[in-house]
Amino acid sequence: MAISCASAACLSLPFYLRDPRNFGPLEGASRLLVFDQLVPHLGIALMALMAALAAALSFTPMNLAALFRNCALVQAFPVVAGLVLATLRMTAESVVRALRSFAMWFALMALASASAVSVRARSSIPPGLRRTRTRSASYRRA
C-alpha cells in the first residue's frame, strides 16, 4: 500500500507543484463541491456515495468489460445526481460536457471490451464442426 501511495505521489506531485490551481483531481473535486450551493455538504456526501458504490461494485464478478462498466457507473453517478438535483439550472451543452468529461471513456472501453469478447466467441469453431472436418479429411485419404 505504501509503495502504491508513493508511486501515485511521485507521478502526480510534479503536476500539482507546477500548477496547483488547475491540478486535475482538485478540479474534479471542485466540480462536486459545486453541489454544496444546492444543499450544504452535498459534495462531500456525493464523494462518499461514490466511494461506497465503488466498494460495492468491487465485490461483483468481474471481467474486463465489467470492470470498465463499473468504472463508468461510478464516474456517471455524480453526473446523474447533478442532473436530478439541478435539472433546471443546467443547459443541454453542460450535460454533454459533464458526461463526456466524467464517464464516456469508461463507457467506451466497456463497449469495446464487450464487442471484442463477442467477436472472439463468434470466431471460434464449435467442437462439432471440428470433428466433421476431421472425418471428411480421413474419408479423402481412404
Side-chain angles (χ1 to χ4, degrees):
M1 182 92 161
I3 292 172
S4 297
C5 290
S7 298
C10 287
L11 291 173
S12 60
L13 194 59
F15 295 104
Y16 175 75
L17 293 175
R18 183 174 187 288
D19 190 9
R21 281 191 181 152
N22 296 321
F23 184 58
L26 294 180
E27 194 259 331
S30 69
R31 288 183 193 173
L32 293 176
L33 295 176
V34 168
F35 296 127
D36 287 349
Q37 297 171 356
L38 299 172
V39 177
H41 307 294
L42 185 58
I44 299 294
L46 285 174
M47 287 183 216
L49 286 171
M50 286 175 65
L53 179 62
L57 289 173
S58 71
F59 291 106
T60 62
M62 195 131 0
N63 59 19
L64 190 61
L67 171 70
F68 286 121
R69 181 199 65 225
N70 291 347
C71 290
L73 289 173
V74 171
Q75 292 293 309
F77 176 76
V79 175
V80 172
L83 288 172
V84 170
L85 293 170
T87 303
L88 299 175
R89 290 181 21 177
M90 296 182 81
T91 64
E93 180 183 330
S94 62
V95 171
V96 170
R97 190 177 334 117
L99 283 172
R100 184 176 48 223
S101 65
F102 270 106
M104 283 301 147
W105 170 252
F106 292 109
L108 175 68
M109 293 306 293
L111 180 65
S113 298
S115 64
V117 168
S118 67
V119 166
R120 264 188 263 135
R122 277 188 264 142
S123 67
S124 65
I125 299 172
L129 291 177
R130 285 188 208 143
R131 278 189 234 121
T132 305
R133 289 181 182 168
T134 306
R135 285 183 191 152
S136 64
S138 65
Y139 290 132
R140 286 183 200 151
R141 289 183 193 156

